[in-house]
C-alpha cells in the first residue's frame, strides 16, 4: 500500500507539473517563488519545483524551516526563512509563485482560517500569477497518512485514531483539509477574484485542486 500510494502521489505531481508547464510557460527571466520548501526530504517528490524547474537559479524558496540541508542540495536557489505570517518580500517581486500542498498546513487550528486567508493574500501580493495546490478533503483516502475514510470523522476522533496508530505527526495542527467550497471562500475572503480551479481526478473522483491565480500564459510559438 505505501509504495502504491507513493506511485500515485508521484504520478499526480507529474500531472500537476504538466499543467504548470502548459499554463505558465516558464521563461529564463521569470522570477519564481516557491512558497513552502522542505528542508528535509522524505520522498523523491519533495521540493518538486527545485528538482524539475529548468531555470533553477531564478527560484527563491520561502519557508518556515531553518535552511540547513536545503542549501547544500540546491546551492543555486535563494532561501528565505520567515515566521509564517507576512512574507518578507516586496510587492510584485515575482512573476510566478508556486505552492504545492502547503495551504492545508498553514496556521494553528484555532486561527487557521485567518492564517490561510493571509497566506493567499500574500501570495497574490508578491507575485503577478500563482499556482497553488491542495488535496481534496472529500477524496476517500487521506493523502498524507494514506488513511481511508476516517478523515471525514470529527477532527478530535481522527486525531485519536492517528495517535493510536502512532502517526502523531499528522494530528493536532498538522493539517486542515479543504473542500472546493472552502477553497473558494478562502480566495474570496483574500480578495482574489481572478483565478481558475482545475480538479485533478483519479478514477472519477477529485484527488486535489490546482488553483491558478492571475493571468496564465501560453507557450511562445
Amino acid at each position: 500500500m505505501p509504495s502504491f500510494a507513493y506511485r500515485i502521489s508521484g504520478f499526480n505531481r507529474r500531472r500537476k507539473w504538466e499543467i504548470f508547464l502548459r499554463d505558465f510557460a516558464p521563461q529564463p527571466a521569470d522570477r519564481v517563488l516557491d512558497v513552502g520548501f522542505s528542508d528535509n526530504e522524505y520522498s523523491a517528490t519533495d521540493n518538486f519545483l527545485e528538482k524539475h524547474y529548468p531555470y533553477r537559479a531564478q527560484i527563491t524558496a520561502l519557508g518556515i524551516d531553518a535552511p540547513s540541508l536545503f542549501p547544500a542540495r540546491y546551492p543555486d536557489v535563494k532561501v528565505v526563512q520567515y515566521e509564517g505570517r507576512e512574507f518578507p518580500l516586496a510587492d510584485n517581486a515575482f512573476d510566478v509563485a508556486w505552492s504545492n500542498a502547503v495551504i492545508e498546513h498553514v496556521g494553528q487550528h484555532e486561527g487557521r482560517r485567518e492564517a490561510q486567508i493571509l497566506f493567499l493574500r500574500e501570495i497574490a501580493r508578491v507575485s503577478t500569477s500563482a499556482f497553488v495546490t491542495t488535496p481534496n478533503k472529500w477524496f476517500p483516502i487521506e493523502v498524507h497518512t494514506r488513511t481511508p475514510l476516517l478523515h471525514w470523522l470529527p477532527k478530535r476522533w481522527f486525531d485519536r485514531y492517528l495517535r493510536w496508530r502512532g502517526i502523531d505527526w499528522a494530528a493536532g495542527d498538522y493539517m486542515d483539509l479543504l473542500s472546493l467550497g472552502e477553497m473558494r471562500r478562502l480566495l474570496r475572503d483574500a480578495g482574489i477574484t481572478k483565478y481558475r480551479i482545475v480538479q485533478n481526478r483519479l478514477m472519477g473522483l477529485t484527488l486535489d485542486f490546482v488553483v491558478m491565480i492571475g493571468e496564465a500564459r501560453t507557450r511562445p510559438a
Side-chain angles (χ1 to χ4, degrees):
M1 175 70 175
S3 61
F4 176 73
Y6 279 118
R7 286 198 295 272
I8 292 295
S9 177
F11 161 76
N12 194 49
R13 292 204 184 203
R14 289 189 296 273
R15 179 168 61 178
K16 288 184 284 190
W17 182 243
E18 289 169 2
I19 294 172
F20 176 76
L21 292 178
R22 181 192 70 210
D23 286 17
F24 287 82
Q27 300 299 304
D30 286 348
R31 303 156 299 167
V32 180
L33 178 66
D34 179 11
V35 185
F37 77 91
S38 297
D39 194 56
N40 282 298
E41 294 188 358
Y42 299 99
S43 75
T45 59
D46 289 342
N47 295 320
F48 195 90
L49 182 71
E50 285 74 15
K51 287 183 171 71
H52 298 277
Y53 193 71
Y55 315 110
R56 198 160 67 190
Q58 291 294 99
I59 299 174
T60 296
L62 175 71
I64 60 174
D65 290 347
S68 174
L69 303 174
F70 183 93
R73 291 192 183 100
Y74 309 105
D76 45 352
V77 174
K78 180 181 178 182
V79 183
V80 176
Q81 185 182 10
Y82 82 122
E83 296 180 353
R85 295 287 299 168
E86 289 80 6
F87 297 177
L89 303 165
D91 294 358
N92 299 317
F94 297 92
D95 300 293
V96 180
W98 159 285
S99 185
N100 187 56
V102 175
I103 191 170
E104 69 270 20
H105 304 295
V106 170
Q108 295 181 334
H109 192 65
E110 291 300 320
R112 176 155 273 164
R113 178 178 174 80
E114 291 72 22
Q116 289 173 330
I117 292 169
L118 177 62
F119 182 79
L120 289 171
R121 189 178 293 142
E122 286 294 280
I123 284 176
R125 178 182 66 80
V126 304
S127 59
T128 56
S129 61
F131 184 91
V132 178
T133 80
T134 192
N136 174 24
K137 174 165 61 176
W138 299 118
F139 189 71
I141 297 175
E142 197 290 299
V143 297
H144 300 88
T145 61
R146 325 301 184 198
T147 303
L149 303 178
L150 296 182
H151 60 295
W152 293 345
L153 295 171
K155 180 168 174 53
R156 66 182 183 279
W157 295 0
F158 184 47
D159 281 357
R160 188 176 302 168
Y161 163 79
L162 293 174
R163 293 187 175 104
W164 175 74
R165 282 281 314 277
I167 317 176
D168 301 62
W169 54 266
D173 287 329
Y174 178 73
M175 63 182 168
D176 189 4
L177 301 174
L178 298 168
S179 67
L180 179 60
E182 288 165 336
M183 187 72 239
R184 284 178 170 153
R185 284 190 288 275
L186 289 174
L187 289 160
R188 178 200 65 198
D189 292 346
I192 297 170
T193 57
K194 186 176 290 186
Y195 68 86
R196 181 164 65 94
I197 298 178
V198 173
Q199 299 183 52
N200 277 325
R201 298 182 185 274
L202 180 66
M203 296 182 291
L205 301 173
T206 300
L207 176 59
D208 63 10
F209 309 116
V210 173
V211 184
M212 289 177 279
I213 299 170
E215 297 287 350
R217 299 171 299 174
T218 55
R219 287 183 179 275

